[in-house]
Amino acid sequence: MRKKYNPYMLPPWLRTFRGVCKQFILPFTIFQAVRTVLLPTTFDVLLLAVFAILALAFYLEWI
């Protein structure tokens, strides 16, 4: 049986890094969305998809 995810079991440096990523992912996603709308390239669309998935994962607390 799989153990439940508990963020307090992580090392302190990893919890800090996770908090920093959680704080910055939304502005990066918005900036990338604006950039993709103005100048769409394949790389921009893929990067926006990665940022959107990460933002969703942080929002739903999968990470």
Side-chain angles (χ1 to χ4, degrees), residues 1-62:
M1 181 174 237
R2 186 174 170 202
K3 293 169 67 174
K4 287 190 175 184
Y5 174 71
N6 186 358
Y8 297 107
M9 298 291 290
L10 298 173
W13 65 269
L14 191 56
R15 281 189 305 211
T16 303
F17 180 74
R18 182 179 172 265
V20 169
C21 288
K22 189 175 183 178
Q23 185 176 7
F24 283 112
I25 193 65
L26 189 60
F28 284 160
T29 304
I30 292 170
F31 173 77
Q32 189 63 34
V34 169
R35 181 183 158 151
T36 302
V37 167
L38 295 177
L39 221 67
T41 64
T42 305
F43 178 73
D44 287 332
V45 173
L46 291 175
L47 192 59
L48 177 61
V50 168
F51 283 163
I53 290 170
L54 277 173
L56 183 67
F58 277 122
Y59 178 72
L60 296 176
E61 295 183 1
W62 290 343

